[in-house]
Amino acid sequence: LCHVGPVFETAPLSNEQDKLRLAQYDRVTQTHIENGDAEAFFQHLGANRNANNVCGFSPIYLLLRALNECVGLDVGYEQCVADSAETSYVSICGMLLS
């Protein structure tokens, strides 16, 4: 999902509150995917011009459009450190769609 912090040319995530805000943003993103709602997914990421550098924006959107109606099941979420200063993170999730 998100790629944030100095390594990705965005503000550092310097405390637990920053990581919590990222998790909350990701939760909204995941909810749109789980609901199979391509338009809400697009609007959510587009509202901030994809400032969190969500990789897969286009393919996820196109997949949701192609599936038309689907239901997702969240199978995991993590935030992974992406630099030695521990101020850049990549958030990842697993989801089953049917």
Side-chain angles (χ1 to χ4, degrees):
L1 293 173
C2 294
H3 292 70
V4 294
V7 168
F8 306 105
E9 300 178 0
T10 68
L13 275 69
S14 54
N15 57 49
E16 290 303 312
Q17 198 68 351
D18 291 340
K19 293 194 294 185
L20 178 60
R21 275 193 292 277
L22 178 63
Q24 290 168 337
Y25 181 86
D26 286 337
R27 185 64 231 146
V28 173
T29 303
Q30 289 174 274
T31 297
H32 296 316
I33 298 169
E34 288 170 2
N35 293 337
D37 192 338
E39 242 357 87
F41 172 79
F42 185 90
Q43 293 300 322
H44 174 62
L45 272 62
N48 67 4
R49 296 180 165 251
N50 196 22
N52 289 330
N53 302 311
V54 172
C55 72
F57 184 165
S58 297
I60 293 169
Y61 173 72
L62 291 172
L63 175 66
L64 293 174
R65 290 289 305 264
L67 292 175
N68 196 20
E69 291 184 21
C70 67
V71 177
L73 174 65
D74 180 1
V75 295
Y77 175 82
E78 290 291 331
Q79 292 177 347
C80 305
V81 176
D83 66 359
S84 60
E86 296 185 14
T87 58
S88 297
Y89 288 83
V90 174
S91 59
I92 57 173
C93 77
M95 192 163 303
L96 301 173
L97 299 175
S98 63

